[in-house]
Amino acid sequence: MAKLNVVLISTYELGRQPFGLASPAAWLREAGASVTCFDLAVEHLEEEAIAVADMVGFYVPMHTATRIAVSFVHRVKEINPRAHLCFYGLYAPVNEGFLREIGADTILGGEFEEGLIKLAERLSSGVPSLIHQPDPVVSLARQQFLVPDRNGLPELPRYAHLILADGRSRVVGNTEASRGCKNLCRHCPIVPVYGGRFFIVQPEVVLADIEQQVAAGAHHITFGDPDFFNGPTHAMRVVEELHRKFPGLTYDVTIKVEHLLKHAAHLPRLRDTGCLFITSAVEAVDNDILEIFDKRHTREDFIRVVSLFRETGIYLNPTFVTFSPWISLSGYMDLLKLIRELDLVGSVSPIQYAIRLLIPAGSRLLELPAVQDLVGEFDPAAMIYPWAHPDPRVDRLHAAVLKVVSDDQVDQEDRASVFAEVWALTEEACSIPDNQRAEPVSAGRLHLESIPHLSEPWYCCAEPTELQMAPRDHV
């Protein structure tokens, strides 16, 4: 490959050093390209690098990242109108039409590394840009991964960190042991691209990536897999070897409720190999809503998981899509009551109380006639099907709750006070008389001890708020 100048750009990846820059950087550099990476969540874009780029690739793994990336396209094209513009990642193919309209030449989703190599080879050989890209927009071809190349990325201490129960913090790295997902949850943005398929990253690649991050100062690893137990045998092999090589290293993973129950026998070993907490997309506690989302678990299953985690000694980090067209005021209050009854106030990140359902292009929710009747025309610039709640009071409550969690920028020690504010707002929205209102946080009732958590809140399947769209600076 003739020397090709490539710039890869990430705009936001949940406060993590982007795997989606490090992995393709390894492939492109091995092929002979000169690669410069920018993570605009923690650093500025350098115009000099853009000016000499033959190819600029925006990594768009989530809705928020894509919205922010779009805001930089005009600037990039103004600096270097000849550069080939590529969008790659989960949200590229589902927004193909709009991204091409604003100037994207190539769109790559799914397993994108090989597509980036083929694109780079065409550009380096002088092949002019084609009207129709020859490579598939979505590739589900199995790849032999390379160890991600993290050279040139901002240092790990600049990203989100782990806050321990005693208040100390740890530097966090991240990796992926698998990509895609075999689950078909209707609201999930992974499904339109992967369609129920997932791909493992070779264990030796995962462990080599962890090793280089430990050498760079990481004392905790976040596994970015959509569901760590898509392949439980593979997952356990990785963490067993991780613990053997780095016995003092801790980690966290994401696993759906259904798999936590199905593979509960693995939980003690996760704990013993250093797993501090597990994120699980509970989404709702109303069984009707869970069925709409096709989550394959029930309210009762969630309660069982909470009990199971208490017995095992692993912390649960539950996440929710708290505001959807099907939640009522009483249903929202029911969610708060259950969180209180299960002593989970200290476990729920405040932003979770304000998460509002996002319906992107390709969402399986659109298969339901009731959803088709509910949504407005697709908004390509916002990249969503807009919806309003049938009960305007619910949308007003969402706005009020969002203001509470956005204004306070709260951390662990504030979770009880934020919960109390959200509780009071909900009682007011439900028109509960003053003399019938409950004390949301009473001494001795709630389990409010500090728990290990990341300084960057986890969220998914949600419309980006001003809080989420704001650039992060973890320096």
Side-chain angles (χ1 to χ4, degrees), residues 44-215:
H44 296 293
L45 187 66
E46 294 180 7
E47 294 190 0
E48 295 82 1
I50 297 296
V52 299
D54 301 299
M55 168 183 153
V56 176
F58 282 99
Y59 174 52
V60 287
M62 56 190 300
H63 188 273
T64 304
T66 313
R67 292 283 302 276
I68 299 173
V70 164
S71 71
F72 280 92
V73 169
H74 176 73
R75 182 178 171 191
V76 168
K77 290 172 67 68
E78 192 174 53
I79 296 169
N80 185 352
R82 70 172 183 83
H84 187 99
L85 193 59
C86 172
F87 280 78
Y88 68 98
L90 194 63
Y91 267 80
V94 296
N95 294 293
E96 179 183 5
F98 175 67
L99 295 177
R100 291 197 188 279
E101 188 177 296
I102 64 170
D105 299 298
T106 297
I107 302 292
L108 298 171
E111 304 301 278
F112 50 73
E113 284 88 351
E114 287 185 350
L116 286 170
I117 290 296
K118 291 177 182 177
L119 170 60
E121 289 173 345
R122 286 197 305 274
L123 294 175
S124 65
S125 65
V127 175
S129 297
L130 303 173
I131 296 176
H132 301 291
Q133 69 180 62
D135 301 313
V137 170
V138 175
S139 173
L140 297 181
R142 196 170 298 278
Q143 301 181 145
Q144 188 72 28
F145 286 91
L146 301 178
V147 178
D149 187 344
R150 298 179 179 272
N151 290 316
L153 288 174
E155 296 178 346
L156 291 177
R158 299 185 65 184
Y159 290 92
H161 52 278
L162 174 72
I163 301 174
L164 296 169
D166 59 8
R168 291 179 300 142
S169 66
R170 283 185 173 179
V171 174
V172 175
N174 80 92
T175 193
E176 296 180 1
S178 65
R179 294 207 301 209
C181 189
K182 70 179 182 182
N183 307 299
L184 295 171
C185 305
R186 283 196 181 98
H187 63 308
C188 180
I190 299 172
V191 176
V193 175
Y194 281 90
R197 295 188 63 186
F198 80 102
F199 300 87
I200 66 166
V201 181
Q202 291 81 9
E204 62 274 15
V205 171
V206 179
L207 292 162
D209 188 28
I210 291 172
E211 183 173 9
Q212 66 178 337
Q213 292 180 81
V214 170

Side-chain angles (χ1 to χ4, degrees), residues 274-402:
C275 185
L276 286 184
F277 62 89
I278 296 174
T279 297
S280 192
V282 179
E283 312 301 42
V285 298
D286 181 307
N287 285 335
D288 291 336
I289 297 176
L290 288 169
E291 188 162 340
I292 291 170
F293 288 164
D294 198 12
K295 283 298 296 180
R296 307 295 176 92
H297 74 256
T298 64
R299 175 192 185 101
E300 293 70 28
D301 290 335
F302 168 50
I303 294 171
R304 286 173 59 203
V305 163
V306 172
S307 177
L308 183 63
F309 272 49
R310 294 252 162 84
E311 294 170 7
T312 306
I314 298 179
Y315 290 104
L316 177 65
N317 176 36
T319 65
F320 302 94
V321 179
T322 36
F323 286 91
S324 73
W326 308 283
I327 193 76
S328 63
L329 291 178
S330 61
Y332 189 81
M333 177 57 82
D334 177 58
L335 170 64
L336 298 182
K337 287 180 178 178
L338 187 60
I339 289 172
R340 183 182 68 172
E341 290 168 7
L342 295 176
D343 287 351
L344 289 174
V345 172
S347 301
V348 178
S349 173
I351 190 60
Q352 295 300 322
Y353 299 120
I355 296 296
R356 190 173 190 272
L357 176 68
L358 178 149
I359 305 179
S363 171
R364 278 194 65 219
L365 284 170
L366 297 168
E367 298 171 0
L368 302 177
V371 175
Q372 296 170 15
D373 295 338
L374 173 76
V375 299
E377 290 293 321
F378 184 72
D379 183 342
M383 304 177 191
I384 58 170
Y385 285 90
W387 61 268
H389 198 282
D391 183 350
R393 296 176 302 166
V394 176
D395 282 337
R396 289 197 294 269
L397 176 61
H398 171 256
V401 171
L402 181 60

